[in-house]
Amino acid sequence: KKFRSATELVREFFNLTYRTNIEARYWFARDKACGYRIKNHGKCHIFDGNSTNGKVVAGGSNIVPRPGSLDTDFIVQGQVAGMYSAYFDSMWTAMTPDLRVNLAGSISDNEEKKECEDEQLIVACNNGHWESVMEPDGVTGHKAKILFLPSTPCSSGEDVILRCVLGAINSASESIYMCMGHFNISEVVSRAFKQATDRGVKVNIISNSLHSCDLRTGQLDLMRSLKRMLTVAPDVQLYVAAVKDGKVPPFLHSKYVVVDSRWTCSGSWNCWLRSAFYEAEQEIFVRSESFASDLEEKFTREREQFCIRVKTADECNQFLPKGCAICEGFGPFFDV
């Protein structure tokens, strides 16, 4: 069944679940200081999360993804599932169950209360509210250290996940792989890449473009930020989704970072300002060589299939949007 809008899809969902044993609530939070709405951008499916055998399917996929998009999801179980469940419960209880009376809600914790020292991610986060756990690596049989970390965006612009990613970039000694569904590289990230390449670290980036991304309005800012990144850190190896052999690339919706083939993060977090001010995210940080290897292989495969190398800031100009034609194929659009 096709829907003209997300509102129609949600209405159909509530119609189907009405008077059943399914309870649903709208997420309708606001920033405490400024009052603007906070979006829940996290994606997870929790099964028996409070039990020892609980499982969570999470990552970057939406429940109704854009056709042709490629994403990254993972399955975790055990204590990590309990962490997801506890966070879901906090979001659930923050929203009133009676949608007819009052949709207003709020996020209880401000980002300023979570502090992470850049140099030691796991140790720093253990000093806060979110503990890391040891879980068996399904491939190697060794223990993998996993941290579940949600972020709470607010008007201060603090982004605890970005702090952790910057800490990993600053400690990298060999390689960095980063793929983001949505990008807007900030100056602090560009300078961290510059310092990394000066240390001899190989920095590899995959970005979408106007040929692949479903959000059209941010394309100009995206390419401007990539141009700035290559100006500040010209040794970064940037790969951009492009038309190859007449084939339009898929939307590369994955969001992950791999450092030194051991440290990884993946989930719903994108490296852009919306994750700091507007979108509440859910991320896992993992120390596992097998998980890192899987993501590096995915990066290499999609780089070769769908991307071209962009070596200089000026080469980004070919991806700058020009006119309304860039929106064709991403409709349908309706008159207001």
Side-chain angles (χ1 to χ4, degrees), residues 13 24 47 116 212 223 301 319:
F13 172 78
F47 306 92
C116 285
S212 58
M223 285 303 152
R301 182 172 60 252
F319 296 102

Side-chain angles (χ1 to χ4, degrees), residues 53-231:
N53 295 319
K55 291 182 176 63
V56 174
V57 180
S61 290
N62 294 307
I63 194 168
V64 185
R66 177 174 174 265
S69 63
L70 297 179
D71 223 313
T72 298
D73 296 297
F74 45 82
I75 299 174
V76 294
Q77 64 183 61
Q79 287 180 270
V80 181
M83 295 177 185
Y84 270 96
S85 184
Y87 183 66
F88 180 91
D89 289 344
S90 70
M91 296 174 67
W92 179 264
T93 55
M95 299 297 104
T96 174
D98 192 344
L99 302 177
R100 298 166 299 175
V101 178
N102 180 16
L103 289 176
S106 63
I107 294 178
S108 58
D109 292 329
N110 287 328
E111 208 70 351
E112 294 89 342
K113 296 180 181 178
K114 304 172 187 174
E115 297 180 357
C116 285
E117 299 175 5
D118 289 344
E119 292 78 11
Q120 298 185 21
L121 163 66
I122 300 297
V123 173
C125 289
N126 282 347
N127 291 334
H129 298 292
W130 303 97
E131 297 293 327
S132 61
V133 298
M134 299 294 289
E135 296 288 353
D137 188 311
V139 177
T140 65
H142 300 148
K143 291 288 185 178
K145 197 161 192 178
I146 305 175
L147 168 75
F148 167 67
L149 184 65
S151 73
T152 305
C154 61
S155 51
S156 72
E158 176 65 18
D159 186 345
V160 67
I161 296 175
L162 175 59
R163 281 183 178 269
C164 296
V165 171
L166 282 172
I169 293 173
N170 291 335
S171 65
S173 60
E174 299 172 5
S175 62
I176 298 170
Y177 293 84
M178 178 182 283
C179 176
M180 289 288 143
H182 299 289
F183 251 139
N184 192 315
I185 304 278
S186 62
E187 187 74 7
V188 66
V189 175
S190 295
R191 296 194 178 280
F193 286 155
K194 168 62 174 173
Q195 294 172 2
T197 55
D198 286 348
R199 296 194 304 271
V201 178
K202 295 181 179 179
V203 180
N204 303 271
I205 307 294
I206 282 181
S207 171
N208 282 291
S209 70
L210 57 88
H211 298 295
S212 58
C213 186
D214 65 344
L215 292 184
R216 319 303 287 156
T217 55
Q219 291 300 306
L220 184 61
D221 288 337
L222 163 64
M223 285 303 152
R224 283 175 173 172
S225 73
L226 293 178
K227 290 181 68 174
R228 177 59 183 167
M229 179 193 72
L230 288 177
T231 301

Side-chain angles (χ1 to χ4, degrees), residues 269-280:
W269 180 81
N270 287 298
C271 187
W272 63 349
L273 289 178
R274 280 173 59 156
S275 294
F277 290 96
Y278 173 55
E279 294 181 333

